Amino acid sequence: MEPEQGPEQRRLGRGTLLLMSVATGLSVAGNYFAQPLLGTIGHDLHLSAATAALVVTVAQVGYGLGLLLLVPLGDLLERRRLAVTLCAATAVFLTVTASAPNAALLLTGTALTGLTSVAAQVVVPYAATLAAPAERGRTVGTVMTGLLLGILLARTAAGLLTELGGWRTVYWVNAALMLLMALLLRLRLPALRTAAGLRYPALLRSTLALFAQEPVLRWRAVLGALTFAGFSVLWTAVAFLLSGPAYGWQESAIGLLGLVGAAGSLSASMAGRLADRGLAHRVTGAAAFLLLGSWGLLAAGGAGGAWSLVALLAGVVVLDLAAQAVHVSNQNLVYGVRPEARNRLNSAYMTSYFVGGAAGSALTSVVWGAGGWGGVCTLGAGLAVAVVAVWVADLRRRRGLPGGTGVERKPVPASVPVTR
């Protein structure tokens, strides 16, 4: 267990926090560049549509394996070294993708990039540990804003850089930026180690055991999975809608929709500040109802035309705002459970979150073929109803705890990192 730090040690400067935010965004962006470029990549490498689509799949599989196998190492290894190593490895694997002459190397580079891009999920609990307890929510919200902007703006950057120099350009640029991030993180971050007292196999087993031991993790993992499933439903289907007869947009214009979604992602910092005031549960509840309302706006956006476009864009902003508010409030509560196990908690939570997103994408491909945009909006609204229902059930559970206040209190060990 980690000894307590003094306030002067726990201060996290704005420059360092900004660096961590940028590093997380650039780390995850590499997994999303290919989504608007599948046609271009397939044509250049003479790939079938099915093979080109595997680029997205292997990125998801690689990222999922990284969440399970690499993120828990933050509770075993020195965290700065782990974050720097993963960033540098990501840069190397991005160059493999950028220079790939065939499908085999393209898929290999993409899968390995996904695996090591979980550097982002090492940096987030790293920042939470460095922050003062009263500022943890704001800190997590700020870093998560960077991560979410990386996800949303990756498609926009991919479209713009591809027009300038071809699809490989975006991977070369990201590789150079990830090398820069590795260097800056090495120079700016304090060394930080958690004495988990476990070997690697036991560390992985203890990650899974946290689900049985921590009710906060279980409930928040379900909320996160359902919320990200709805988020994935939107971002999987909206390109089909915008490129179809209702709007007829080109790929570059569709990529700019990420700029609209980015406006919603700015709610992450606000949600973190509210969580610092003890309002994380209320933030989740309000966001759950906003999530449900967003699908009404999105449904109205399916007809085409100026007013439908306004409704669609408003729905995108509201859904992204709500999804990020749920996610940041989830993380704030989960990280407060056991500070000495934050990386394992993050691994468990984010794996559930990722599984929800993958399930949402898979369901969307089926529903779109059967019911079009209307079916997609029904699916998204159903997931939002489930989020509301789970939040209400958790509220009732918490009110049944001793004291009946609805606030689950748990002693937090006097633990924080040894820095040097």
Side-chain angles (χ1 to χ4, degrees):
M1 191 174 293
E2 302 161 303
E4 184 67 55
Q5 272 182 317
E8 72 285 355
Q9 292 175 293
R10 293 178 71 91
R11 294 295 299 173
L12 185 59
R14 291 184 179 180
T16 301
L17 183 58
L18 177 61
L19 172 62
M20 297 174 90
S21 301
V22 173
T24 59
L26 290 173
S27 292
V28 298
N31 296 321
Y32 297 91
F33 291 141
Q35 289 185 356
L37 306 179
L38 293 180
T40 303
I41 294 173
H43 181 266
D44 184 51
L45 297 181
H46 308 290
L47 307 178
S48 67
T51 302
L54 283 176
V55 175
V56 176
T57 303
V58 298
Q60 292 176 333
V61 171
Y63 192 74
L65 289 174
L67 288 171
L68 281 171
L69 302 177
L70 299 182
V71 173
L73 287 171
D75 290 335
L76 184 65
L77 304 178
E78 197 274 299
R79 293 188 201 178
R80 181 180 64 186
R81 182 177 301 171
L82 177 61
V84 169
T85 300
L86 290 174
C87 287
T90 300
V92 172
F93 297 140
L94 283 165
T95 65
V96 173
T97 301
S99 58
N102 52 47
L105 277 179
L106 175 71
L107 295 175
T108 299
T110 301
L112 292 173
T113 297
L115 181 74
T116 57
S117 67
V118 295
Q121 298 304 331
V122 173
V123 171
V124 175
Y126 196 159
T129 302
L130 290 175
E135 298 178 351
R136 183 171 298 128
R138 179 186 65 83
T139 299
V140 171
T142 300
V143 178
M144 284 304 303
T145 296
L147 186 149
L148 298 166
L149 288 174
I151 293 174
L152 292 169
L153 298 183
R155 301 169 180 87
T156 304
L160 295 176
L161 288 174
T162 297
E163 288 187 3
L164 290 175
W167 69 268
R168 299 176 189 272
T169 304
V170 66
Y171 291 99
W172 286 117
V173 170
N174 194 216
L177 291 173
M178 286 306 299
L179 277 178
L180 177 61
M181 289 300 103
L183 175 62
L184 292 177
L185 290 175
R186 178 64 182 82
L187 294 175
R188 293 294 301 271
L189 293 184
L192 184 127
R193 183 186 296 276
T194 302
L198 298 172
R199 294 184 180 275
Y200 182 63
L203 191 75
L204 296 182
R205 289 194 297 271
S206 72
T207 301
L208 296 176
L210 288 170
F211 281 110
Q213 298 166 359
E214 302 296 344
V216 172
L217 174 62
R218 290 197 299 272
W219 285 91
R220 290 288 155 171
V222 173
L223 283 169
L226 289 169
T227 300
F228 196 49
F231 181 90
S232 297
V233 166
L234 169 65
W235 288 101
T236 301
V238 73
F240 297 138
L241 172 68
L242 293 176
S243 62
Y247 290 95
W249 287 15
Q250 299 298 315
E251 287 182 356
S252 57
I254 294 172
L256 292 175
L257 191 66
L259 296 175
V260 178
S265 73
L266 298 178
S267 68
S269 180
M270 183 186 303
R273 292 176 186 274
L274 291 172
D276 286 336
R277 300 176 186 174
L279 301 175
H281 293 292
R282 294 183 183 181
V283 168
T284 304
F289 284 100
L290 280 177
L291 199 65
L292 181 57
S294 71
W295 284 104
L297 292 169
L298 292 167
W307 286 110
S308 288
L309 178 59
V310 170
L312 180 69
L313 296 180
V316 168
V317 171
V318 173
L319 185 142
D320 281 4
L321 183 154
Q324 308 327 327
V326 172
H327 185 43
V328 171
S329 58
N330 284 348
Q331 288 184 305
N332 186 269
L333 291 170
V334 168
Y335 290 161
V337 171
R338 287 170 58 178
E340 81 283 0
R342 280 201 181 114
N343 280 270
R344 281 168 286 165
L345 286 164
N346 196 44
S347 173
Y349 170 75
M350 286 304 303
T351 299
S352 303
Y353 192 73
F354 173 82
V355 168
S361 296
L363 287 171
T364 303
S365 62
V366 175
V367 171
W368 176 266
W373 185 248
V376 165
C377 290
T378 300
L379 171 62
L383 289 167
V385 168
V387 172
V388 172
V390 172
W391 176 78
V392 170
D394 186 39
L395 177 64
R396 291 177 176 173
R397 177 190 69 87
R398 288 183 287 107
R399 285 179 174 171
L401 294 173
T405 63
V407 178
E408 183 165 286
R409 300 186 181 276
K410 179 171 183 152
V412 177
S415 71
V416 276
V418 176
T419 59
R420 59 182 187 278

